[in-house]
Amino acid sequence: MDIAVRNLRDRLRGALIAAAATPMTASGEVDLDVVARYLAGLVADGATGLAVLAHTGRGPYLAPDVRAGVIERAVAVGVPVLVGVGGGPCDPAEQASVAAGLGADGVLVFPSDGDRVALHEEVWQAARLPMIAFDLYTRPCPAGTLRELLRHPGVAGLKTALLSDAMGCQRAIALTREADRLAITGEDRMFGPSLLWGAEAALVGIAAASVGVTAAVLEAFGGKDLSAFAAASGRLDRLAQATFTEPMEGYVQRMLWLAAAEGRVPESHACDPYGPRLPEEERAGVIAASR
């Protein structure tokens, strides 16, 4: 494993990395001042790292200049920053190179339909930034491919986000730990169980708002009070039931509703033009669940 990769792995152990949304208007306009305040607020409320331009941040849809502005604002906050690359028409290796030039600490590589090992090698050769591999429920990674990825010298860890596949999540965490990489939970709907199965850090969209709810679970898990862990996990589960539900792609809009209700972003920038349209009456239920 590359020394920089090992250093980031160790730095992120125990971290809560908020998979941040990108606040924008209904027409997709991004105000970078709004982004800066939003990201700083997530860290102030308990996030110890930021993942920007990932799935929650709609990274594959954003123009290069907007992506660069978001990365710059994230780096300025002063915590470890991971940048989502790939997942769209743009070259992930080029995106990783830009992220490296702007001071990002690592990249989260979107899963692809092609040769995933070759993709990670291309990204590594282009930027030499530590990589987080991504096992996503829409493109689950075969165990053999996971093993190959976890042997790559540039891969610091694996984020698993398999949604309802408990056995797949357990297998991915076990393979990651066997390879001496960082097992990162992205399981918004299996958050507490994934910690019990061996996840050592979290990178979750549910921390895009109400971040203290997620932080409380990690804090309780690190302590010795089982009842506190159960209570904190219960609060997070209730929030996840309201936000990570069908249509699943609507979770980005739901988290932005929460961010607006919490004063993190203005209503004008609490929109997800790239996700499904949700009935306005759903908003009240989401906000109630957060309370």
Side-chain angles (χ1 to χ4, degrees):
M1 192 189 315
D2 183 88
I3 184 64
V5 175
R6 182 182 295 110
N7 288 342
L8 184 66
R9 177 203 63 185
D10 296 342
R11 189 180 178 195
L12 294 181
R13 187 168 281 116
L16 170 56
I17 306 156
T22 303
M24 64 184 80
T25 66
S27 60
E29 296 177 6
V30 176
D31 184 327
L32 292 173
D33 290 335
V34 171
V35 171
R37 289 192 295 271
Y38 164 68
L39 296 176
L42 294 179
V43 171
D45 288 347
T48 56
L50 294 168
V52 296
L53 305 173
H55 194 178
T56 308
R58 296 308 193 201
Y61 301 101
L62 302 182
D65 60 326
V66 175
R67 287 178 57 91
V70 171
I71 295 168
E72 289 172 337
R73 271 55 175 190
V75 169
V77 177
V79 297
V81 173
L82 303 176
V83 175
V85 298
C90 294
D91 181 5
E94 181 179 341
Q95 291 176 333
S97 182
V98 170
L102 293 172
D105 297 278
V107 291
L108 175 69
V109 183
F110 278 74
S112 65
D113 291 327
D115 187 333
R116 299 193 194 197
V117 177
L119 170 63
H120 284 70
E121 176 63 13
E122 290 171 12
V123 170
W124 174 245
Q125 292 298 331
R128 292 285 166 166
L129 270 184
M131 298 179 291
I132 304 298
F134 194 1
D135 194 8
L136 182 63
Y137 71 99
T138 56
R139 289 186 176 91
C141 192
T145 303
L146 273 184
R147 289 188 177 92
E148 285 190 70
L149 286 175
L150 292 166
R151 287 195 295 266
H152 192 287
V155 170
L158 171 73
K159 168 180 169 167
T160 175
L162 296 176
L163 189 63
S164 59
D165 183 359
M167 291 187 293
C169 178
Q170 290 171 325
R171 179 176 60 249
I173 289 171
L175 289 174
T176 304
R177 295 191 61 147
E178 287 170 9
D180 199 26
R181 267 56 173 186
L182 186 67
I184 305 172
T185 181
E187 301 291 357
D188 307 89
R189 291 301 300 264
M190 297 190 291
F191 190 84
S194 66
L195 296 177
L196 295 169
W197 296 333
E200 303 170 280
L203 197 172
V204 283
I206 202 166
S210 299
V211 63
V213 176
T214 310
V217 181
L218 281 174
E219 182 179 356
F221 182 71
K224 297 181 179 179
D225 187 344
L226 179 59
S227 63
F229 175 64
S233 293
R235 287 192 295 272
L236 186 143
D237 285 345
R238 289 189 290 275
L239 179 61
Q241 287 171 19
T243 51
F244 284 77
T245 188
E246 296 296 342
M248 196 57 62
E249 275 296 296
Y251 87 88
V252 176
Q253 179 60 76
R254 297 181 190 109
M255 296 311 300
L256 283 165
W257 281 341
L258 283 182
E262 294 167 358
R264 300 181 187 278
V265 301
E267 287 286 346
S268 59
H269 287 71
C271 304
D272 176 26
Y274 302 106
R277 295 196 58 153
L278 302 178
E280 183 63 27
E281 55 267 24
E282 188 176 343
R283 181 194 291 235
V286 169
I287 294 171
S290 74
R291 294 173 179 164

